């Protein structure tokens, strides 16, 4: 920390000398300037600026504004013998770190400088951590060599580089929408700022609104202090709204206003808060159908649809099952301290023949379960007993005259619901689907409101 550079700007030579002697003794590098012009020439490379409010050729507020325009990360402490509340408020609004009155105690200044430079170090550590985390979410970290995945990576790269403020990710459960959202963020010019995410189905409406927009003190029971919401926390960064299709109509309306105007009111608040965030929304639902059934606002759908990206199901990614399996085997070898070399030919064929209704997430779980139990140097079909039963039960042969796929799907759904006694979760398990996919097909075929 002692290698930091500090610029001292004051027209009094004695004051500059006093500060230089004390700060140099603390181990800092000190540069001096006697005027605004000299300050603007010499501040480049300084971590901290001690800036006099009254200068021969200008005032500290003007210099502060110029410094912040050119180097927002540089911290500035204003020094003045002419302190007023108005000037202090203006300085803080422009980004001054602190405001001290002359004459001052050199020990107090040294302590304030130390705290300011600790703030700089913390910011740099956070930025470095985010950049390191970003490497984990590079486009190369998205595993897949199939043509659909190459197209998706290319599209995600273009979206990350674009100024698009809204992105809509669609696709079945387990296709990697959260990974795609992080890849967009960490490969964009927003990567040094926050990436925050929330699952819209995880919280009741009031709590979700408070999480997104924040609330004022006393806005509701237990709101004892003001709270910043995710949109404020992620200013200049990205907010990921997972399962956007589950959001209530009232919150959809508030989200639409925010997307249109870039402003919102905290719960219980009267004034508008303006932020700049990229909103990435994700859903496994067919939002067009949701709009048609009046469960999702049409205007919000079209606002989100500006940059739509559909992530392909694993069954559409020819060849990627084996690539992903090799990746997960290598990962769990390190995690479980094993030396599994890979899949046997029969096991690889088994994984290829399975439909993977849970997509990449289901494949990962299957490999993890097999790796936990295996005591051989490669995985065999018997290590995937659940898949073996499912594949064996679904080896249907297409008759010469062909079939109507919708009729077959409807009949299988009816049989599954009948066997499950109308329980959608159990029927979903029988069909290798999730409950939302079963609900969608119930509506598609007009089978009523079985629960």
């Amino acid at each position: 920390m002692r290698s930091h550079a500090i610029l001292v700007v004051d027209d009094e030579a004695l004051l500059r000398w006093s500060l230089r002697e004390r700060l140099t003794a603390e181990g800092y590098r000190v540069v001096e300037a006697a005027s605004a012009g000299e300050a603007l020439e010499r501040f480049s490379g300084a971590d901290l600026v001690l800036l006099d409010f009254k200068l021969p050729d200008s005032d500290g507020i003007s210099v502060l504004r110029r410094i912040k325009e050119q180097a927002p990360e540089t911290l500035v402490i204003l020094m003045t013998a002419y302190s007023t509340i108005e000037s202090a408020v203006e300085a803080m609004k422009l980004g001054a770190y602190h405001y001290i009155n002359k004459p001052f105690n050199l020990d107090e200044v040294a302590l304030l400088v130390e705290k300011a430079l600790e703030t700089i170090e913390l910011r740099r550590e956070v930025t470095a951590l985010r950049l390191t985390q970003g490497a984990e979410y590079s486009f190369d970290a998205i595993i897949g060599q199939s043509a659909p995945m190459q197209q998706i990576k290319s599209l995600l790269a273009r979206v990350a580089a674009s100024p698009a403020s809204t992105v809509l990710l669609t696709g079945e459960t387990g296709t990697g929408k959260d990974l795609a959202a992080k890849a967009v963020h960490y490969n964009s010019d927003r990567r040094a700022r926050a990436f925050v995410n929330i699952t819209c189905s995880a919280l009741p409406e009031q709590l979700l609104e408070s999480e997104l927009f924040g609330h004022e003190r006393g806005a509701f029971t237990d709101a004892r202090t003001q709270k910043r919401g995710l949109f404020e926390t992620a200013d200049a960064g990205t907010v990921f709204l997972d399962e956007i299709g589950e959001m209530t109509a009232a919150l959809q309306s508030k989200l639409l206003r925010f997307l249109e105007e870039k402003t919102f009111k905290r719960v219980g608040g009267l004034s508008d808060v303006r932020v700049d965030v990229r909103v990435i929304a994700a859903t496994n639902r067919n939002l067009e159908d949701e709009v048609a059934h009046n469960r999702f606002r049409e205007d919000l759908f079209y606002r989100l649809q500006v940059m739509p990206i559909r992530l392909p199901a694993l069954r559409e990614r020819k060849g990627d099952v084996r690539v992903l399996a090799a990746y997960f085997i290598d990962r769990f070898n390190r995690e479980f301290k094993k030396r599994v070399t890979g899949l046997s030919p029969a096991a690889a064929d088994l994984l290829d023949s399975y439909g993977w209704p849970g997509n990449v997430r289901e494949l990962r779980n299957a490999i993890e379960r097999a790796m936990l139990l295996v005591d051989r140097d490669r995985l065999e079909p018997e290590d995937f007993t659940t898949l073996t039963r499912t594949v064996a039960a679904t080896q249907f042969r297409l008759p010469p005259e062909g079939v109507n796929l919708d009729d077959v799907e409807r009949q299988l759904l009816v049989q599954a619901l009948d066997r499950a006694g109308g329980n959608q979760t159990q029927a979903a398990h029988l069909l290798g689907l999730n409950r939302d996919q079963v609900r969608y097909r119930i509506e598609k075929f007009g089978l009523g409101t079985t629960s």
Side-chain angles (χ1 to χ4, degrees), residues 39 53 138 142 188 191 299 449:
F53 188 80
S138 68
I142 301 177
S188 72
R191 59 185 172 273
D299 44 7
T449 57

Side-chain angles (χ1 to χ4, degrees), residues 42 50 75 98 121 126 137 147 156 172 179 188 209 221 226 278-279 293 298 305 325 343 394 451:
R42 299 176 183 177
L50 296 174
L75 296 188
H98 214 287
E121 287 298 318
V126 169
Y137 299 109
L156 290 173
E172 297 177 8
L179 178 59
S188 72
E209 181 179 6
T221 305
Q226 184 192 77
R278 170 180 273 165
V279 174
H293 289 87
E298 184 176 23
Q305 186 80 347
L343 300 167
T394 55
S451 61

Side-chain angles (χ1 to χ4, degrees), residues 245 247 249 252 285 289-297 443:
M247 185 175 282
Q252 289 178 32
R285 293 191 174 192
D289 285 348
E290 297 294 302
V291 169
H293 289 87
N294 296 317
R295 290 190 293 264
F296 199 84
R297 288 184 64 113
E443 294 176 6

Side-chain angles (χ1 to χ4, degrees), residues 321-322 346-356 387 391-392 394-395:
V321 170
R322 298 191 185 206
D349 289 341
L350 171 66
L351 298 191
D352 278 340
S353 62
Y354 183 61
W356 300 109
L387 304 189
V391 172
T394 55
Q395 293 295 326

Side-chain angles (χ1 to χ4, degrees), residues 100-150:
I100 55 176
N101 293 321
K102 296 178 180 179
F104 43 69
N105 183 293
L106 285 176
D107 290 335
E108 293 177 357
V109 172
L111 181 60
L112 180 59
V113 166
E114 183 178 1
K115 289 185 177 297
L117 294 175
E118 285 176 355
T119 299
I120 290 174
E121 287 298 318
L122 181 60
R123 289 179 182 177
R124 288 175 178 170
E125 287 176 11
V126 169
T127 300
L129 178 61
R130 286 173 176 164
L131 292 176
T132 301
Q133 188 176 21
E136 181 183 351
Y137 299 109
S138 68
F139 297 118
D140 290 337
I142 301 177
I143 308 301
Q145 300 174 356
S146 62
M149 285 310 296
Q150 294 302 320

